[in-house]
Amino acid sequence: MKILNITFDTRVKILVVICVIIALTIISYSFYYICIRENKEEIQPQKIENIEEILDVLCYEAKYDVTVNANKTTNTYNVAENVDLENNTYNMVIDETLTISINSNNTSVKRQNMEYEYFTTTGEILKNNAISFSSIIECIKKISNKEIKGNIKRIEQDDKFIYQISTDENYIEKVKRIEITTQKENCKITEIKMYNSEENELYSMIFESFMVKK
């Protein structure tokens, strides 16, 4: 019969190995909980059941391609927005080269290695920026609150809803009608088109993603 004899040095080594394993387990769990799990919880999107809930959107991130039709020319830009309407902070990146950042009345415009900073009224920039989804949100809010004249109606078409927002006022410059196309099942925004009074399409947005953060 063999007797296993563990010396003092061997016991110490085994104890050290066990302690290292426990420490690595704790570190791994802490890293997952703090750096991964919490980040996942922070960016969980909130669901929008219908277009009226856009009125309650306070903070969102969106990515889309916007096509601008003007003076017989057509240009398409990739746009990424990170907007907090509650705190009046606004960030837009166009084609990964032009960045517009707004915080209170301070506006920063950066293009590659050039940078400009100036003071302006945040509302004026958002109001006149037809390629920003925040302008559309504010337009819908003002029509719903009867601050400007207009109407909103919903058209059902196959597996989607088309929301038509019409106004005679010039809230978004030259835009008289907005069409927002959403999937019927989950109200996911897929496309937005904007028309002038002659029914010419001025802008169109094809959405890659739209996430409501609060």
Side-chain angles (χ1 to χ4, degrees):
M1 187 175 81
K2 294 182 178 180
I3 299 175
L4 183 64
N5 185 20
I6 300 177
T7 65
F8 178 77
D9 289 341
T10 303
R11 289 198 298 270
V12 171
K13 290 178 181 178
I14 292 173
L15 182 60
V16 169
V17 170
I18 292 173
C19 291
V20 169
I21 292 173
I22 293 173
L24 289 174
T25 302
I26 293 173
I27 292 171
S28 299
Y29 177 78
S30 300
F31 176 80
Y32 168 79
Y33 188 84
I34 296 172
C35 298
I36 299 177
R37 182 177 172 182
E38 286 191 356
N39 285 340
K40 284 185 178 179
E41 290 177 353
E42 286 176 3
I43 63 173
Q44 283 299 316
Q46 297 181 16
K47 292 183 179 179
I48 294 179
E49 301 296 337
N50 54 67
I51 202 71
E52 287 75 17
E53 292 184 10
I54 285 183
L55 303 181
D56 299 322
V57 171
L58 297 175
C59 185
Y60 71 86
E61 288 184 10
K63 292 183 180 180
Y64 49 88
D65 289 327
V66 57
T67 299
V68 180
N69 301 308
N71 299 324
K72 298 182 179 180
T73 62
T74 299
N75 296 292
T76 300
Y77 308 94
N78 179 261
V79 177
E81 281 193 308
N82 190 341
V83 178
D84 188 336
L85 297 171
E86 185 178 29
N87 296 308
N88 290 323
T89 60
Y90 169 89
N91 292 280
M92 170 183 274
V93 180
I94 302 173
D95 287 341
E96 298 183 350
T97 58
L98 178 65
T99 302
I100 302 173
S101 299
I102 299 172
N103 188 349
S104 293
N105 289 329
N106 184 29
T107 299
S108 173
V109 179
K110 300 178 182 179
R111 185 179 182 90
Q112 294 177 346
N113 296 326
M114 297 182 293
E115 183 173 341
Y116 312 90
E117 289 192 4
Y118 53 92
F119 291 90
T120 185
T121 302
T122 301
E124 290 179 357
I125 283 192
L126 300 185
K127 174 181 175 181
N128 293 318
N129 190 351
I131 68 172
S132 169
F133 185 65
S134 61
S135 299
I136 297 171
I137 293 176
E138 290 301 316
C139 184
I140 295 173
K141 284 182 180 180
K142 289 188 177 294
I143 292 174
S144 297
N145 295 332
K146 302 187 184 305
E147 295 178 36
I148 61 175
K149 293 181 180 179
N151 62 79
I152 302 172
K153 67 178 180 179
R154 187 182 74 177
I155 300 171
E156 186 174 350
Q157 189 180 95
D158 299 326
D159 60 345
K160 59 189 177 183
F161 287 125
I162 299 175
Y163 294 86
Q164 291 189 345
I165 298 100
S166 302
T167 178
D168 292 331
E169 300 193 34
N170 214 29
Y171 183 76
I172 301 176
E173 189 174 2
K174 296 182 180 179
V175 173
K176 301 301 180 184
R177 182 166 64 88
I178 303 170
E179 282 188 355
I180 302 177
T181 301
T182 69
Q183 294 178 354
K184 187 186 297 184
E185 181 181 359
N186 54 15
C187 200
K188 180 181 178 181
I189 298 172
T190 57
E191 185 177 19
I192 295 176
K193 293 183 177 182
M194 288 174 266
Y195 302 86
N196 61 14
S197 57
E198 287 79 34
E199 288 297 310
N200 296 319
E201 184 180 304
L202 300 180
Y203 308 95
S204 66
M205 299 175 175
I206 305 296
F207 276 72
E208 176 185 337
S209 63
F210 177 73
M211 183 179 72
V212 177
K213 298 166 68 176
K214 65 179 176 178

